[in-house]
Amino acid sequence: AGTDMTIIPGMNTTSPIDDEGLADTVPPECRFMFAETSIFGTDFTDFRKTVFQYPPRRALISEAAAVYPDPGAAQRAFDAFAATLTACGNSSSGALLGDWSAGPDRLSTRPRDCGRDYRRKGVALIEVVSCGLPASVAEIVISNMADHVAG
């Protein structure tokens, strides 16, 4: 995207953010869409999230990663979130996720022109959320992030 892709000021965080007002508007199994602790839990040792905008395409992409004390803790966080995402997808509100898939170390959703991708690798749980960009962009970003995680 070149110089048109910029960090959104104030959208660089070091802890998950829950928007209780929005989370309360969806069924409990789908609240992760607005409550990041439903994704990452609270047992991580480090967390970073940055959101970028691409105004010419009215697009955005966010990158988040939680680091856990050991691979087992990361796996437990991933498994808990996978169960939550699957419950949402199989519920009457599953349409909120669009096309979704769950694998042993990957999860994804594709509602409308947005997507959420998750990957567990080693001690990390990685999230990329994108809107207005092809799914291939999110896959490249999450792959690049995962390449920097040992294990």
Side-chain angles (χ1 to χ4, degrees), residues 110-122:
R110 293 284 178 272
R112 295 182 298 270
D113 74 335
C114 293
R116 292 171 175 250
D117 292 278
Y118 302 89
R119 187 166 306 164
R120 191 221 34 99
K121 184 176 179 193

Side-chain angles (χ1 to χ4, degrees), residues 47-63:
F47 179 87
R48 298 279 190 268
K49 180 174 184 177
T50 303
V51 183
F52 300 87
Q53 63 184 348
Y54 184 37
R57 290 190 62 165
R58 295 188 174 123
L60 66 84
I61 190 164
S62 70
E63 306 170 350

Side-chain angles (χ1 to χ4, degrees), residues 18-148:
D18 294 351
D19 185 327
E20 296 297 335
L22 288 173
D24 289 343
T25 67
V26 296
E29 62 271 14
C30 300
R31 73 182 271 112
F32 71 87
M33 295 169 37
F34 305 108
E36 292 176 338
T37 56
S38 296
I39 299 166
F40 299 102
T42 57
D43 294 336
F44 53 84
T45 58
D46 195 11
F47 179 87
R48 298 279 190 268
K49 180 174 184 177
T50 303
V51 183
F52 300 87
Q53 63 184 348
Y54 184 37
R57 290 190 62 165
R58 295 188 174 123
L60 66 84
I61 190 164
S62 70
E63 306 170 350
V67 177
Y68 298 85
D70 56 66
Q75 186 67 55
R76 287 188 295 280
F78 178 85
D79 291 345
F81 177 54
T84 298
L85 187 141
T86 299
C88 178
N90 289 333
S91 76
S92 60
S93 299
L96 293 170
L97 302 183
D99 293 330
W100 64 277
S101 65
D105 64 351
R106 296 171 187 238
L107 304 165
S108 69
T109 71
R110 293 284 178 272
R112 295 182 298 270
D113 74 335
C114 293
R116 292 171 175 250
D117 292 278
Y118 302 89
R119 187 166 306 164
R120 191 221 34 99
K121 184 176 179 193
V123 297
L125 176 53
I126 303 165
E127 173 195 67
V128 172
V129 178
S130 63
C131 292
L133 298 167
S136 60
V137 171
E139 180 56 35
I140 290 167
V141 171
I142 205 164
S143 292
N144 286 340
M145 291 175 72
D147 286 348
H148 289 88

